[in-house]
Amino acid sequence: MKIHPREVVVGILIVIGIGFDKQWWTIPREWNPWQPLRISDPLTPVTQWKLERLEDDRAACLAVLASLPDDALRYTPLADYTPVAGCPLSNVVRVQRSGVTFNRSFVASCPLTVAWTLYERHRLQPTAREIFDQSVTHVQHYGSFACRNIYHRENARRSEHAAAEALDIAAFRLANGQRIEVFEDWGDDDAEGAFLKQAQQGACEIFGTVLGPDYNAAHANHFHFGMRGFSFCR
Ligand SMILES: [Zn+2]
């Protein structure tokens, strides 16, 4: 009897399918798009996809936030509302603090809040420990919500800030009191410059849009971490 190559392929596929079903082998949850996101999971290219799915699933998104201890995130879920005519907000929370304190609380979409906590745990703090042997304790931001179009232009599309889907980060403070500012330290050939570069690179693995001083003059003094797009990093 002659076995056709196509029958071999079909046979292999069936065995693989049964294998997954019987859990002879499993995909690690951080690589499995159908497994819910956990903050403690290592980052993979699938992480951004999982974050995007949380945009339409408030319950699942809030469950991720609720899984965090109080010292990793303090927040208040907000009912959908329209703070400024033309910019309704949905699926948002008010963030009081995360593992770091902020200059002031801010309204953020739930997925942006998840993205920030992922970033802090998996990229920001490890970078600070690696370069300074310190943790970041405080972050200065320039806000998350602004009812406007990009570049304040009338005919441009709505900014990510109009939906509270982006956070502008200006500076970091370390446990020893040292302050690192995007405006002052970006591009410097020293530890602060290296920290900022690495802090931005790390954000690109999580946020959909990451902009900094190299993008344009409007970002000379802050990083823009936004949820739209996929690894747009400048
Ligand atoms: Zn921004």
Side-chain angles (χ1 to χ4, degrees):
M1 185 180 106
K2 192 168 166 259
I3 297 175
H4 200 275
R6 202 172 59 198
E7 287 163 2
V8 174
V9 171
V10 168
I12 290 170
L13 287 177
I14 288 172
V15 171
I16 289 174
I18 292 171
F20 278 122
D21 191 53
K22 303 270 184 209
Q23 301 194 329
W24 294 335
W25 50 77
T26 52
I27 318 175
R29 44 173 302 118
E30 63 269 23
W31 284 98
N32 184 341
W34 308 113
Q35 287 286 322
L37 185 150
R38 267 189 218 156
I39 300 293
S40 55
D41 287 345
L43 299 182
T44 72
V46 179
T47 308
Q48 283 195 354
W49 193 83
K50 292 190 186 194
L51 272 170
E52 204 177 299
R53 278 207 317 178
L54 293 179
E55 274 163 37
D56 303 319
D57 194 342
R58 178 161 170 87
C61 189
L62 288 178
V64 177
L65 299 188
S67 74
L68 287 162
D70 206 41
D71 60 352
L73 183 69
R74 222 170 294 160
Y75 69 104
T76 313
L78 301 176
D80 295 357
Y81 71 121
T82 303
V84 180
C87 290
L89 293 181
S90 66
N91 197 10
V92 287
V93 304
R94 177 167 289 279
V95 177
Q96 273 92 21
R97 59 161 298 162
S98 55
V100 300
T101 56
F102 295 101
N103 50 311
R104 60 174 189 272
S105 72
F106 56 92
V107 175
S109 75
C110 180
L112 173 62
T113 310
V114 173
W116 172 264
T117 54
L118 280 172
Y119 171 67
E120 192 180 307
R121 176 180 179 133
H122 294 283
R123 290 296 178 265
L124 180 63
Q125 297 294 11
T127 299
R129 279 195 292 271
E130 182 193 322
I131 295 181
F132 298 109
D133 198 22
Q134 294 281 324
S135 52
V136 175
T137 55
H138 183 81
V139 167
Q140 186 192 348
H141 69 82
Y142 285 157
S144 51
F145 172 72
C147 187
R148 59 171 174 81
N149 296 342
I150 54 171
Y151 307 127
H152 303 269
R153 276 192 217 125
E154 212 172 298
N155 52 359
R157 68 175 189 277
R158 277 279 188 236
S159 160
E160 291 174 295
H161 290 292
E165 286 183 326
L167 185 62
D168 289 341
I169 301 293
F172 305 90
R173 194 168 67 217
L174 305 177
N176 64 3
Q178 185 179 351
R179 189 177 150 86
I180 303 142
E181 287 179 34
V182 174
F183 185 72
E184 279 295 318
D185 301 306
W186 178 260
D188 289 359
D189 189 19
D190 57 13
E192 288 80 3
F195 169 79
L196 288 176
K197 187 123 247 170
Q198 220 169 301
Q200 191 201 19
Q201 282 301 321
C204 297
E205 295 173 62
I206 299 167
F207 297 93
T209 301
V210 173
L211 307 174
D214 286 351
Y215 183 59
N216 61 17
H219 294 85
N221 63 355
H222 69 274
F223 293 144
H224 170 101
F225 294 167
M227 296 307 290
R228 284 192 209 146
F230 195 83
S231 291
F232 185 82
C233 184
R234 299 287 188 278

